[in-house]
């Protein structure tokens, strides 16, 4: 989204509506902010009311320029604490409850908004999307899948409808295999996600994300051939998209390129585009880190270590732990115990220098366990 | 392999690039400065939490 929507010149006229702040989760300067306002995923967008310092509005994930401007309006209403018993009032309450992290209550408010909404209600798509998302966030997977199936067919084709289908599909996959509702829900929602690939107005992020969701769905159902076919479809899409994208926008989809090439059983197919990304974005640690993963898959361990070293020269903050963890795996696969031990020790020592809010307990525990396992 | 589907987060995550040319006057990595400006101008703070992944 940084490489696309936030660079849209038409946004400049909204400059006076907010004070704009960008927070890099990896930068040590932001430890205080991140302690006060913990984050779950990036990107997260939050609107803070300076009167009380509380988050009045927030959402996760990228949106189009048009949706972003709608969210500016919603955020302003949330700060003004508009309320009422009509659809918009319930909708605003749902948004505020989400900002407080109350997913279950937020879902209930979205239900009330939809129940009171006039037929031509402008926010119906966004409320449907919000409802399904909050049901998923509160682990109400059956309700999430079933509401997605009810709401999705009536929505206009576009990103919100695609989101409802993909979120619903993910909820269905979370169901217990013994539950009778699960299999038909997966079938219906997979079909809906597949259909959404043809919608106009979706950006490349959306289109790659939908294909990736379908690939995961096949993989989750142990359909090896289906997952491979989806991986090849995703690769073909990424290769066609790359021809018209800027270097930044193309590299933004490199993560999909890596997972699709590996899932397709053809990791070498990602080598040329990742090498190009490294040449075009020499300040970015991601391309060499991804190249290291591909070389590792190919069993080219010395090339993998060289690429990992180039990534380590550029990476900073908590992500450095992830790069070191991946480097340790290269040594492990190579059968180099001394290199593995030293990399894990370096990673733990570096992790201990990070400020508390930026030090992932899970990653630190993982690194320590790997080191302990090695010693025992 | 399985992860919770959050709409297009993965793609969005990967768009963090140091070279972005933003159209809005973002204050970078300075919460105190943004809050002081917000109080002075009586405007809310719009925060983009991102990572260079």
């Amino acid at each position: 989204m940084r490489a696309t929507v936030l660079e849209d010149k038409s946004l400049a006229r909204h400059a006076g509506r907010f004070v704009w702040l960008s927070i890099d989760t990896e930068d040590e300067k932001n430890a205080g902010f991140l302690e006060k306002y913990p984050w779950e995923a990036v990107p997260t967008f939050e609107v803070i009311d300076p009167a009380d310092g509380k988050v009045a509005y927030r959402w996760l994930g990228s949106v189009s320029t048009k949706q972003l401007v709608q969210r500016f309006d919603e955020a302003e209403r949330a700060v003004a604490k508009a309320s009422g018993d009509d659809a918009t009032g319930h909708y605003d309450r749902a948004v505020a409850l989400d900002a407080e992290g109350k997913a279950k209550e937020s879902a209930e408010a979205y239900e009330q908004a939809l129940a009171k909404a006039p037929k031509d209600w402008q926010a119906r798509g966004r409320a449907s999307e919000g409802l399904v998302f909050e049901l998923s966030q509160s682990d109400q997977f059956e309700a999430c899948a079933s509401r997605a199936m009810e709401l999705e067919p009536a929505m206009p084709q576009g990103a919100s409808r695609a989101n409802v289908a993909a979120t619903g599909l993910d909820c269905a996959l979370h169901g217990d295999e013994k539950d009778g509702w699960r299999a038909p829900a997966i079938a219906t929602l997979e079909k809906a996600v597949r259909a959404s690939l043809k919608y106009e107005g979706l950006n490349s992020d959306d289109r790659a994300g939908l294909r990736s969701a379908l690939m995961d769905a096949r993989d989750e159902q142990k359909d090896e051939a289906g997952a491979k076919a989806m991986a090849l479809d995703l690769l073909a899409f990424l290769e066609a998209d790359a021809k018209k994208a800027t270097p930044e926008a193309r590299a933004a989809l490199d993560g999909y390129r890596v997972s699709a090439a590996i899932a397709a059983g053809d990791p070498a197919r990602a080598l040329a585009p990742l090498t190009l990304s490294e040449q075009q974005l020499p300040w970015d640690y991601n391309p060499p880190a991804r190249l290291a993963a591909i070389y590792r898959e190919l069993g080219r361990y010395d090339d993998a270590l060289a690429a990992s070293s180039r990534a380590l020269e550029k990476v900073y903050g908590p992500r450095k732990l992830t790069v070191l963890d991946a480097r340790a795996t290269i040594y492990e696969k190579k059968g180099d115990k001394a290199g593995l031990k030293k990399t894990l020790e370096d990673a733990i020592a570096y992790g201990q220098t990070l400020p508390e809010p930026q030090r992932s307990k899970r990653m630190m525990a993982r690194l320590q366990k790997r080191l302990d396992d090695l010693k025992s | 392999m399985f992860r919770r589907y959050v709409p297009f987060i993965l793609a969005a995550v990967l768009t963090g690039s140091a070279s972005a040319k933003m159209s809005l006057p973002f204050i970078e990595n300075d919460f105190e400065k943004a809050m002081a400006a917000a109080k002075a101008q009586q405007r809310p703070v719009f925060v983009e939490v991102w990572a260079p992944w």
Side-chain angles (χ1 to χ4, degrees):
Chain A
M1 183 152 154
R2 290 208 128 216
T4 52
V5 174
L6 291 176
E7 290 184 26
D8 189 326
K9 291 196 172 52
S10 72
L11 291 174
R13 66 195 162 90
H14 298 282
R17 299 175 74 173
F18 299 94
V19 168
W20 309 87
L21 172 65
S22 75
I23 292 285
D24 173 358
T25 58
E26 310 296 286
D27 190 322
E28 287 189 16
K29 284 203 294 279
N30 295 323
F33 175 88
L34 297 169
E35 190 163 30
K36 193 167 180 192
Y37 304 99
W39 60 282
E40 295 160 32
V42 289
T44 291
F45 297 88
E46 295 170 330
V47 174
I48 297 173
D49 182 352
D52 57 10
K54 286 186 181 161
V55 176
Y57 183 81
R58 73 159 196 166
W59 81 90
L60 310 182
S62 59
V63 291
S64 68
T65 305
K66 190 179 160 204
Q67 289 170 320
L68 183 63
V69 173
Q70 285 168 355
R71 291 185 191 202
F72 292 162
D73 299 340
E74 291 175 7
E76 282 175 342
R77 288 209 311 266
V79 172
K81 298 185 177 54
S83 64
D85 192 35
D86 59 355
T88 303
H90 288 296
Y91 179 88
D92 289 343
R93 202 161 51 78
V95 166
L97 286 162
D98 169 76
E100 290 170 37
K102 295 179 179 165
K104 191 166 174 282
E105 292 82 351
S106 176
E108 286 163 9
Y110 276 125
E111 282 288 17
Q112 286 171 308
L114 286 167
K116 299 223 166 184
K119 267 201 172 149
D120 58 348
W121 191 43
Q122 199 190 319
R124 183 179 289 277
R126 173 84 182 99
S128 304
E129 200 180 345
L131 169 62
V132 173
F133 178 71
E134 299 299 341
L135 289 170
S136 162
Q137 289 292 100
S138 51
D139 295 346
Q140 301 182 70
F141 299 123
E142 186 177 357
C144 163
S146 111
R147 291 300 274 137
M149 285 190 287
E150 286 160 10
L151 294 166
E152 189 268 343
M155 293 173 74
Q157 294 187 356
S160 285
R161 181 166 171 183
N163 253 336
V164 166
T167 306
L169 174 59
D170 187 67
C171 286
L173 290 165
H174 268 84
D176 195 309
E177 282 178 31
K178 284 178 252 141
D179 290 338
W181 63 269
R182 185 176 183 267
I186 291 173
T188 303
L189 290 161
E190 249 192 293
K191 210 171 150 194
V193 174
R194 226 171 263 278
S196 72
L197 292 174
K198 297 196 183 78
Y199 296 169
E200 285 176 19
L202 301 190
N203 61 33
S204 298
D205 282 4
D206 296 342
R207 293 186 191 284
L210 291 167
R211 285 177 170 82
S212 181
L214 288 169
M215 183 175 85
D216 288 352
R218 291 284 101 208
D219 184 63
E220 178 68 13
Q221 290 176 96
K222 317 267 186 292
D223 172 9
E224 213 173 292
K228 191 173 173 181
M230 255 343 282
L232 287 168
D233 182 62
L234 175 54
L235 274 175
F237 166 78
L238 292 169
E239 285 163 3
D241 188 72
K243 289 182 187 147
K244 51 183 182 175
T246 62
E248 284 86 358
R250 190 180 50 74
L253 302 180
D254 277 348
Y256 287 123
R257 223 178 295 282
V258 171
S259 56
I262 292 174
D266 187 8
R269 198 158 154 183
L271 281 178
L274 290 176
T275 304
L276 181 64
S277 293
E278 186 172 11
Q279 284 163 2
Q280 289 179 326
L281 312 172
W283 59 87
D284 189 349
Y285 81 89
N286 284 301
R290 290 177 179 136
L291 270 173
I294 291 291
Y295 282 129
R296 191 191 67 205
E297 285 294 316
L298 290 168
R300 291 169 59 177
Y301 300 123
D302 290 334
D303 288 331
L305 288 171
S308 163
S309 297
R310 297 198 299 279
L312 283 171
E313 283 166 21
K314 299 171 185 104
V315 70
Y316 56 92
R319 292 302 286 183
K320 191 167 177 177
L321 293 183
T322 312
V323 176
L324 284 167
D325 183 54
R327 185 179 180 83
T329 305
I330 302 168
Y331 278 119
E332 192 174 29
K333 299 242 174 191
K334 196 186 172 197
D336 181 344
K337 270 199 169 185
L340 169 59
K341 182 166 173 280
K342 184 173 182 313
T343 305
L344 291 171
E345 284 168 351
D346 287 351
I348 291 166
Y350 178 74
Q352 280 158 352
T353 69
L354 291 171
E356 183 79 36
Q358 287 172 318
R359 191 188 312 144
S360 156
K361 284 196 186 80
R362 197 158 61 173
M363 178 54 91
M364 289 300 279
R366 174 184 157 83
L367 291 165
Q368 191 61 53
K369 184 171 183 307
R370 291 188 76 180
L371 188 60
D372 293 344
D373 288 349
L374 193 63
K375 285 176 180 166
S376 64
Chain B
M1 186 85 190
F2 195 77
R3 61 188 154 72
R4 173 76 59 90
Y5 187 88
V6 178
F8 314 127
I9 289 257
L10 180 62
V13 159
L14 299 166
T15 59
S17 155
S19 71
K21 300 163 283 289
M22 311 283 253
S23 296
L24 294 160
F26 274 93
I27 295 168
E28 289 191 8
N29 303 316
D30 194 338
F31 177 55
E32 278 74 25
K33 185 178 168 188
M35 280 299 267
K39 281 176 188 161
Q41 299 166 23
Q42 297 194 319
R43 281 187 230 162
V45 184
F46 182 99
V47 192
E48 179 212 14
V49 180
W50 70 287
W53 298 354

